[in-house]
Amino acid sequence: MNSPVIQGLNLNAPSYVKNARLIAWVADMVALTKPDAIYWCDGSDEEYQRLCQQLVDAGTFRRLNPVKRPNSFLACSDPSDVARVEDRTYICSEKKENAGPTNNWMAPAEMRALLQSGQTDGTPALFDGCMRGRTMYVVPFSMGPLGSHISHIGIELTDSAYVAVNQKIMTRMGKAVYDVLGVNGAFVPCVHTVGAPLAAGQADVKWPCNKTKYIVHYPETREIWSYGSGYGGNALLGKKCFALRIASNMGRDQGWLAEHMLILGVTNPEGKKYHIAAAFPSACGKTNFSMLVPPPAFKGWKVTTIGDDIAWIKPHADGKMYAINPEAGYFGVAPGTNMHTNPNCMRSLDKNVIFTNVALTDDGDVWWEGMEKDTGSVPEHLIDWQGKDWTQAIAKETGAKAAHPNSRFTVTALNNPALDAEWDNPNGVAIDAFIFGGRRSTTVPLVTEARSWMEGVYMAATMGSETTAAAAGQMGVVRRDPFAMLPFCGYNMSDYFQHWLDMEHKLEESGHTLPKIYCVNWFRKGDDGKFVWPGYGENMRVLKWMVDRIEGKAGGEDNVFGVSPSYGELNWTGLDFTPAQFATVTSIDKAAWLAELKLHSELFQQLAYHLPKELEATKAQIEQRLHA
């Protein structure tokens, strides 16, 4: 194949790249961003090792102790580039109302002038020459198993080798993607730059980024443009940008769901297996729940992981909803992860891991807050995530954390000892139940089953959570996070609610029993300010009750929102949890709920445009039951 030559720079497209639209697009982006070189990633292990070594040589990566963490690395970012930047994230739909009131919007033409073509006052476009002095990596990736009818392909152009190696872990990345893409296959174009061009002879920094940041999605043309950040969800464009914001638009148009959900398999002692998809806002225990280890009292029960963060769910001709995990790895929050909270996750971090913004021990291993529960002590000395000396005395004096609260690990799903045998099944797995849950210290009970699909959609639409470090901004404030999708839905949230309501009719037409919908809250606190429910592996007790409900073995008790378990319906073997404690986590405070419903009204006012009338009607029914 004759590779086009732009400004004397050969595109070097490998002969196995046969998609003319792709090659033409790369040529256009090279002309715009002006990199010094182009490298087409093939996804091989040799390439991964070479790029990791390149990052070590540049000072971006530090190779960890090969005995303690074989083939593992630590990256420490610029302190200004540590989390998703929701205030700089845009949905540039043709009409503002299509983005809805919960998304930042800019007219596509205005955004393209800013990023691509330059502005009328002569201000140059941000992407014009943004890769000067750097290499452009062409990263081909499949979200979901290669060739699955539920999967979709993306190509990310990036000037960050950190992004390229993380994408190798997080997606099915490499040469085989081009075979699926073929001559005419569709792909989502993703352009990413750290926004730090280098002049001739200029020395680079360890973590290049730019104070100016834009994370931009064009839903109609299915494009993603990311400027200025080298961090996680802002830069690994297969993750939140493609798998949720763009895919939610694809799902709405094509009749499927792209959700911020884990997927797990739960098998009972008789060998009967169920699949559950669960949505929790970031840092509310999604990864922990997806890798749950049942307590000793649940002998013969098995929980396996299909995905820990994102689910793509498509209705099938048999009337069931089939889900895949579009990712191939975990980009998890490190602090708080330990052998108590998530033993399977800790075991998966033994080798071949990229850590970002955790602390470094004196013997070349990693450490973060929460690991002291495993070792019984905090190290005397560490190098913190900003490269500074850290001791317990310094922490006491300044409050400085050794690891950033949103520090991360990137690891392949294959490392997970609880990986489900079906995790890579191109047909997906049939979903039996949905779970929704936020972090609420009061009001919301431990578990409720919706009596109808409508009631379940209401629960999910009004979900709230106390904020954590995964999103930049104030912590500990209750914010509404409908379906745990508020930062990730690529279109108007009210239209998204309608899409969920429409799914019921779609499935009913094919005669399928709808998946049950549950609302959970592991985070209720007592008068002493401490969590009452022990959580983690003990959540198996609630999960088993859900399975009992699916099998028709548990009666439950009606409340104003749905059905909850009685104390006697949960297996308490091995856990000292009294009926009084159970009442604390399941009680419904009438006054608190009347106040809560006022907050629901505020949400519905904000989302008034296209808000389904059924949600207002459901709210009125709940109010009626509360007053009864």
Side-chain angles (χ1 to χ4, degrees), residues 372-385:
E372 70 278 4
K373 289 190 178 160
D374 293 342
T375 58
S377 63
V378 176
E380 289 299 316
H381 173 262
L382 295 161
I383 301 295
D384 76 6
W385 69 277

Side-chain angles (χ1 to χ4, degrees), residues 129-432:
C130 65
M131 294 190 188
R132 224 179 239 114
R134 301 193 179 277
T135 296
M136 173 191 279
Y137 298 91
V138 183
V139 183
F141 62 97
S142 174
M143 297 307 289
L146 280 159
S148 161
H149 69 286
I150 310 179
S151 299
H152 293 277
I153 286 171
I155 310 286
E156 178 163 2
L157 307 182
T158 177
D159 52 9
S160 165
Y162 172 88
V163 167
V165 293
N166 273 274
Q167 284 285 71
K168 154 81 172 160
I169 296 173
M170 288 305 300
T171 68
R172 284 85 169 170
M173 188 274 264
K175 198 174 163 182
V177 172
Y178 293 118
D179 299 334
V180 177
L181 193 60
V183 179
N184 300 312
F187 63 92
V188 170
C190 311
V191 194
H192 166 256
T193 178
V194 292
L198 293 167
Q202 183 186 349
D204 204 356
V205 293
K206 288 178 183 178
W207 187 274
C209 61
N210 195 306
K211 283 190 169 64
T212 299
K213 292 174 174 57
Y214 283 94
I215 320 297
V216 177
H217 311 74
Y218 298 104
E220 284 90 0
T221 51
R222 316 275 195 242
E223 292 170 74
I224 303 162
W225 291 69
S226 173
Y227 181 91
S229 173
Y231 163 83
N234 306 324
L236 308 178
L237 301 185
K239 197 161 180 61
K240 308 298 192 192
C241 296
F242 182 172
L244 291 176
R245 297 190 193 103
I246 291 295
S248 60
N249 276 281
M250 295 164 84
R252 179 181 58 158
D253 294 347
Q254 298 162 12
W256 53 279
L257 300 167
E259 298 298 326
H260 186 210
M261 289 180 174
L262 66 91
I263 314 166
L264 60 78
V266 55
T267 308
N268 68 18
E270 292 78 53
K272 177 85 174 118
K273 187 178 177 192
Y274 298 91
H275 297 103
I276 315 277
F280 301 101
S282 294
C284 285
K286 235 180 15 282
T287 302
N288 293 346
F289 193 58
S290 72
M291 300 182 189
L292 186 148
V293 176
F298 290 81
K299 202 173 181 312
W301 285 83
K302 199 166 118 189
V303 174
T304 46
T305 318
I306 292 158
D308 81 317
D309 192 42
I310 296 170
W312 284 358
I313 307 161
K314 294 194 179 179
H316 196 265
D318 67 1
K320 294 181 182 177
M321 302 177 94
Y322 283 81
I324 61 164
N325 169 15
E327 300 186 294
Y330 311 125
F331 182 67
V333 176
T337 305
N338 54 51
M339 288 302 286
H340 168 63
T341 61
N342 197 337
N344 282 324
C345 186
M346 287 302 283
R347 289 184 191 109
S348 67
L349 301 178
D350 289 346
K351 59 182 186 295
N352 307 325
V353 192
I354 297 170
F355 295 96
T356 304
N357 288 345
V358 300
L360 183 71
T361 65
D362 292 344
D363 61 353
D365 198 9
V366 289
W367 193 87
W368 53 79
E369 279 71 17
M371 279 174 80
E372 70 278 4
K373 289 190 178 160
D374 293 342
T375 58
S377 63
V378 176
E380 289 299 316
H381 173 262
L382 295 161
I383 301 295
D384 76 6
W385 69 277
Q386 296 183 73
K388 298 173 188 162
D389 284 307
W390 184 95
T391 62
Q392 292 177 56
I394 291 171
K396 214 170 190 177
E397 197 181 314
T398 65
K401 302 280 188 195
H404 187 276
N406 193 40
S407 53
R408 298 279 175 156
F409 52 80
T410 317
V411 65
T412 171
L414 296 171
N415 271 21
N416 178 8
L419 191 63
D420 193 290
E422 298 292 298
W423 88 279
D424 206 24
N425 184 339
N427 297 319
V429 296
I431 297 299
D432 297 292

